[in-house]
C-alpha cells in the first residue's frame, strides 16, 4: 500500500483572502457530494437529509464568497491540490451507485467534514480579520454538528461506520 505524504501549509502565511477561497471550495465540493448522495439514496429520509445538507453547504459557500467579495474585492486565486487538500478528502466526484460505494462516499463526506473543521479551527487562530475568525469558528461548530448528523444517518440506514480518528 502506498501512502501519500501530506505536506502541511504554513497557515500563518496563507492570508484571510485565500483561506476564505479554500473554505468556499470545500463547501462547494461538500454540497456537490450531498447532491449525489441524495440522488442515489434509496430511503426517502436519507434523500431529504442529504438535500437539506446540500442546501446548508450551498448557503455556507455563498456566505464565504460574499465575505471574500466584501473584504477582499480584488482577490483571485488558483487553488493548488495542496490548498484543496486542506478541506477535502478524496476525489471531488463520489460514486454511490451501490451499498459499498455509498458507504465509501459517506466515509469521504465525513472525513472531508472533519478535515474542514480542523482547517477552520486552526486557521481561526491565525486570522487577521475578526470577521474571518468568527466565521471560521461558526463553520467549525456547524461542521461538528453535521458530522454527528451524518453518523446518525449512517447508523439509522443500517450501516456501520468505522472512522479513523473520530471526533466527539
Amino acid at each position: 500500500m502506498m501512502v501519500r505524504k501530506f505536506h502541511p501549509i504554513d497557515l500563518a502565511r496563507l492570508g484571510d483572502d485565500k483561506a476564505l477561497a479554500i473554505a468556499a471550495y470545500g463547501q462547494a465540493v461538500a454540497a456537490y457530494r450531498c447532491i449525489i448522495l441524495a440522488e442515489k439514496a434509496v430511503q426517502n429520509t436519507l434523500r431529504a437529509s442529504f438535500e437539506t445538507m446540500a442546501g446548508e453547504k450551498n448557503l455556507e459557500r455563498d456566505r464565504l464568497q460574499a465575505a471574500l467579495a466584501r473584504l477582499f474585492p480584488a482577490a483571485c486565486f488558483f487553488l493548488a491540490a495542496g490548498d484543496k487538500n486542506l478541506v477535502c478528502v478524496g476525489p471531488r466526484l463520489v460514486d454511490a451507485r451501490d451499498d459499498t460505494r455509498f458507504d465509501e462516499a459517506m466515509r469521504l463526506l465525513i472525513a472531508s467534514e472533519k478535515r474542514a473543521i480542523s482547517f477552520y479551527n486552526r486557521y481561526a487562530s491565525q486570522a487577521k480579520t475578526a470577521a474571518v475568525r468568527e466565521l471560521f469558528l461558526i463553520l467549525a461548530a456547524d461542521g461538528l454538528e453535521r458530522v454527528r448528523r451524518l453518523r446518525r444517518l449512517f447508523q439509522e440506514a443500517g450501516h456501520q461506520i468505522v472512522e479513523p480518528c473520530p471526533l466527539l
Side-chain angles (χ1 to χ4, degrees):
M1 179 173 143
M2 193 166 164
V3 177
R4 189 169 20 157
K5 267 191 168 178
F6 180 72
H7 298 287
I9 292 176
D10 183 3
L11 296 180
R13 296 177 51 186
L14 190 60
D16 289 359
D17 50 355
K18 190 165 186 180
L20 286 167
I22 290 168
Y25 170 81
Q27 295 296 331
V29 170
Y32 179 67
R33 288 174 173 176
C34 287
I35 290 167
I36 290 172
L37 288 168
E39 290 173 353
K40 300 297 180 179
V42 176
Q43 299 171 358
N44 288 338
T45 54
L46 273 179
R47 185 175 303 111
S49 294
F50 286 125
E51 288 170 350
T52 298
M53 282 185 215
E56 292 168 359
K57 290 296 192 177
N58 282 327
L59 287 174
E60 288 175 345
R61 180 207 60 216
D62 293 348
R63 189 174 179 188
L64 286 158
Q65 289 175 335
L68 181 60
R70 184 180 73 253
L71 297 170
F72 308 99
C76 182
F77 293 102
F78 167 79
L79 297 181
D83 299 328
K84 295 173 182 179
N85 284 338
L86 290 171
V87 290
C88 289
V89 174
R92 184 173 188 274
L93 179 63
V94 292
D95 182 359
R97 66 184 139 163
D98 58 36
D99 280 349
T100 302
R101 288 180 177 92
F102 189 86
D103 290 359
E104 180 58 26
M106 282 289 289
R107 280 191 283 281
L108 283 175
L109 189 62
I110 291 170
S112 290
E113 193 73 46
K114 292 187 322 187
R115 186 168 289 176
I117 292 166
S118 174
F119 173 69
Y120 300 143
N121 280 325
R122 289 182 302 130
Y123 191 78
S125 67
Q126 305 289 324
K128 290 140 194 81
T129 310
V132 172
R133 181 175 27 264
E134 291 166 15
L135 179 55
F136 275 37
L137 291 173
I138 290 168
L139 290 172
D142 290 349
L144 186 56
E145 181 53 37
R146 199 167 4 268
V147 167
R148 290 180 181 128
R149 282 176 31 209
L150 285 165
R151 286 181 182 148
R152 272 193 311 272
L153 281 172
F154 206 50
Q155 290 170 346
E156 289 169 4
H159 299 271
Q160 184 62 36
I161 184 159
V162 178
E163 297 174 72
C165 71
L167 293 171
L168 300 175

